[in-house]
Amino acid sequence: MSESHPWELPELASLTKRLRDLQETEAVSAAVIASALDCIVVADEDGCVVEFNPAAQRTFGYSREEALGRQLAELIVPPKFQRLHSEGMARYMRTGEARVLGRRVELEAMRRDGSTVPVELTITEVRLPERRLFTAHLRDLSAQKAAQAEIERQRESLFQTEKMAALGSLLAGVAHELNNPLAVVLGQAAMLLDGLAGGEPEGAEEIGRRARIIEQAAERCARIVRSFLAIARQRKTERRDIHLGDVVAQVLELLAYSLRTTGIEVQTDIPADLPPIEADPDQLHQVLLNLVVNAQQALEARDGPRRIRIEAGRSAGVDQVWITVADNGPGVPDHIRGRIFDPFFTTKTVGEGTGIGLAVSLGLAEAHGGTLRLLERSPLGGAAFELRLPRGGGAAAAQVDKDSAAVPALKPPPNRRALIVDDEPEIASTLAEILARRGYRCTLAGNGREACDRLGEDPCDLILCDIRMPDMDGPAFYRWLAENRPELTERIVFVTGDTLGPAAGRFLARVGAPVVEKPFTPAEIWKVATSLEGQT
């Protein structure tokens, strides 16, 4: 046996230690991969899977043995993304241009049964002497997405609950607000009829004066009804450019009776040139309604003058607008200032409040990218809340003021035919008179079945149809049109007061036909008729 050289033993010991260190490192790496909570999938340059950890097995439904050697694309990439995945890999291997590598992205992955799962993905490249590997870390986001959806559902549920609570507290005032203008309508109409029946010929000027009084009172009723429908209606969030001044005016009109009868003076300072904001009008209406109602309730026990001040403006140097609602009530005690936005926290007695108004309002403000806070000081000495919201993307569409805008004289289109379907003869005849002024020849039907008979094979340019009717309602008539006269489904407009009903709401959302809500004005009917005339 030959004698060993002195340098051979240290070299052998060094190699042995390096081998042992390498084995320990591999063991630790294997343990990390095996115990990782996230999915770890490793693929080679050809896209073949070379590692598939236990988390990936649980998430995607493949065993490690089934996954190894298979193409990653066909294993976990949904079919609609497989071509993009293959093109991306080929582009990176060819040019080094990476769009996903080293980034954190959210996308869909595919399970063994073909279902998809939302995942967060990061991909890391590992360069080895002989080849390159790509390590993908995938985090299953199913629980997170489900939690987010549940939070959104609960927020919407709280929003709806608070709306119903607000409706209940406003009913008495709204009943009074509706009774007053309705009394004007009935009284003025009776005076007109009595004068005609008694042989007292009234001049055109006097008849016109009474007609304007009736019109203004009826439109006031319509605005109140629409405000309540806007609050009570359940629909998805729909943001558009709106003006804060318009929303404040609607809130104050809705609360006019209760504010007046409790002796509260409301001051407003909202610049006419305030830029629009991008928001859901119903949700913003609810926030401001909550703030004004809270201020009103805070003033109920106060002796002496009661004041609410609403101010708005634009933040200097920040693309935001702000609005404050302040009162001269007792204010918010220091020991509860930090809790007033907590859900179900209230200082009111049982039956007077739910404790979710401010919590819902805060959630709606934050959902719009804004803030809602209690100010340290109030200009009136009581409590003051400030709402800040980002500006909208463009100028809001101009709104027609129905109280003051006159209906323009329009040249009647020639040979226009309209079918009016409504089980209320007075409504149908009113619609016919409105359309007659635009040159339409109108045919009336009391329900969908009569409408089918009246329609026959005759041409028709416009159909105004109610939804709830006996003996074939609006949806059934629409289905008949789709089967027998499909071209007329593009010419139908639903004129209804039932948009709050869930069945009617689902039907209208499904068909996408134009809708005019009752009570309507001639301008609204003419506007929708004009829009359809432009399609012919």
Side-chain angles (χ1 to χ4, degrees):
M1 183 174 178
S2 63
E3 183 178 351
S4 298
H5 291 285
W7 55 264
E8 290 180 339
L9 291 177
E11 183 69 20
L12 180 60
S14 175
L15 289 174
T16 301
K17 184 178 183 304
R18 289 169 58 188
L19 179 61
R20 186 169 59 250
D21 290 344
L22 180 60
Q23 290 173 338
E24 290 177 355
T25 301
E26 290 180 346
V28 171
S29 299
V32 169
I33 292 174
S35 61
L37 298 178
D38 293 337
C39 306
I40 299 177
V41 181
V42 183
D44 61 16
E45 295 172 302
D46 298 324
C48 294
V49 175
V50 297
E51 184 56 72
F52 203 75
N53 78 331
Q57 298 173 51
R58 292 190 297 269
T59 298
F60 297 108
Y62 296 98
S63 67
R64 185 172 183 275
E65 291 71 22
E66 291 174 315
L68 295 183
R70 292 185 60 177
Q71 284 289 319
L72 179 66
E74 69 178 35
L75 197 69
I76 64 172
V77 179
K80 59 183 177 181
F81 299 131
Q82 288 179 0
R83 183 177 62 83
L84 292 175
H85 169 79
S86 300
E87 291 176 352
M89 282 290 295
R91 181 177 58 253
Y92 176 70
M93 299 302 294
R94 185 176 64 254
T95 66
E97 178 187 350
R99 297 182 180 178
V100 178
L101 199 67
R103 296 176 53 200
R104 179 175 293 185
V105 296
E106 289 188 13
L107 42 75
E108 291 181 352
M110 182 177 63
R111 295 189 180 98
R112 180 173 188 163
D113 60 5
S115 63
T116 58
V117 55
V119 297
E120 185 179 55
L121 168 70
T122 59
I123 300 178
T124 303
E125 182 184 18
V126 180
R127 290 183 177 266
L128 301 175
E130 301 295 332
R131 58 176 179 167
R132 285 185 286 183
L133 298 178
F134 298 91
T135 302
H137 292 254
L138 302 100
R139 176 167 297 170
D140 186 350
L141 298 180
S142 299
Q144 179 180 331
K145 296 294 185 182
Q148 290 175 347
E150 178 62 17
I151 290 172
E152 187 62 32
R153 187 196 66 78
Q154 291 182 3
R155 176 183 290 173
E156 181 64 21
S157 178
L158 279 174
F159 176 44
Q160 297 298 335
T161 301
E162 176 61 19
K163 288 199 301 183
M164 293 301 104
L167 284 174
S169 66
L170 294 172
L171 279 178
V174 169
H176 188 280
E177 285 293 283
L178 282 175
N179 284 334
N180 282 343
L182 286 174
V184 173
V185 171
L186 294 174
Q188 292 292 332
M191 292 176 69
L192 281 174
L193 291 173
D194 288 346
L196 294 174
E200 301 176 5
E202 296 193 20
E205 183 177 344
E206 179 64 13
I207 292 176
R209 184 184 70 83
R210 293 190 184 279
R212 283 191 294 273
I213 293 174
I214 292 173
E215 180 186 40
Q216 291 170 2
E219 287 184 347
R220 182 180 170 194
C221 292
R223 289 196 303 273
I224 294 170
V225 170
R226 284 174 176 166
S227 294
F228 258 73
L229 287 175
I231 294 175
R233 183 174 292 119
Q234 297 188 27
R235 60 170 179 78
K236 293 183 178 179
T237 300
E238 180 181 322
R239 298 186 186 181
R240 62 175 185 268
D241 281 4
I242 57 177
H243 287 288
L244 273 176
D246 295 338
V247 182
V248 171
Q250 294 167 7
V251 168
L252 294 181
E253 184 170 37
L254 194 59
L255 297 172
Y257 171 71
S258 59
L259 292 170
R260 185 174 65 251
T261 56
T262 50
I264 296 176
E265 175 192 356
V266 180
Q267 305 167 341
T268 60
D269 182 9
I270 301 177
D273 60 349
L274 193 67
I277 58 175
E278 187 177 3
D280 181 282
D282 288 354
Q283 293 185 352
L284 182 58
H285 184 282
Q286 183 65 34
V287 172
L288 294 177
L289 182 67
N290 286 341
L291 296 179
V292 176
V293 167
N294 281 353
Q296 176 189 349
Q297 292 173 343
L299 293 170
E300 288 178 353
R302 175 183 169 82
D303 296 326
R306 301 171 178 178
R307 293 195 299 273
I308 294 176
R309 181 168 180 80
I310 304 174
E311 297 181 83
R314 180 177 177 178
S315 300
V318 183
D319 208 17
Q320 288 182 332
V321 296
W322 56 265
I323 183 167
T324 60
V325 178
D327 63 70
N328 67 333
V332 181
D334 291 340
H335 68 279
I336 65 170
R337 292 178 68 90
R339 300 184 58 196
I340 59 171
F341 289 105
D342 292 348
F344 306 108
F345 174 77
T346 179
T347 59
K348 302 168 187 173
T349 58
V350 176
E352 291 186 359
T354 61
I356 61 174
L358 287 176
V360 169
S361 298
L362 176 62
L364 294 177
E366 292 177 345
H368 281 78
T371 60
L372 176 64
R373 65 189 181 107
L374 174 65
L375 297 180
E376 292 294 330
R377 295 182 180 180
S378 167
L380 298 182
F385 288 87
E386 179 192 71
L387 172 67
R388 287 182 177 269
L389 294 168
R391 284 188 53 195
Q399 299 294 320
V400 177
D401 185 351
K402 297 177 186 175
D403 294 330
S404 60
V407 177
L410 299 171
K411 182 179 180 181
N415 302 319
R416 293 283 181 176
R417 297 185 181 184
L419 173 64
I420 300 173
V421 191
D422 200 301
D423 61 328
E424 293 284 348
E426 294 83 2
I427 297 291
S429 61
T430 300
L431 288 170
E433 290 180 18
I434 292 172
L435 288 177
R437 295 194 178 187
R438 279 194 62 83
Y440 279 88
R441 291 179 293 165
C442 299
T443 302
L444 308 186
N447 54 52
R449 198 168 304 282
E450 288 184 17
C452 296
D453 296 337
R454 300 277 196 280
L455 199 57
E457 299 296 328
D458 295 336
C460 185
D461 300 289
L462 175 65
I463 300 175
L464 299 182
C465 183
D466 196 3
I467 287 184
R468 297 182 63 179
M469 297 176 291
D471 197 15
M472 187 180 282
D473 59 9
F477 176 57
Y478 185 89
R479 289 192 294 271
W480 182 89
L481 286 178
E483 295 175 1
N484 298 277
R485 299 288 299 276
E487 75 280 3
L488 294 182
T489 58
E490 302 295 325
R491 320 297 303 165
I492 191 169
V493 178
F494 288 99
V495 183
T496 179
D498 189 37
T499 55
L500 195 57
R506 289 193 296 270
F507 165 73
L508 293 173
R510 185 174 69 254
V511 301
V515 180
V516 176
E517 292 188 13
K518 298 176 183 176
F520 50 79
T521 64
E524 291 174 307
I525 300 299
W526 286 341
K527 180 179 179 181
V528 73
T530 302
S531 67
L532 292 181
E533 288 165 9
Q535 298 177 13
T536 57

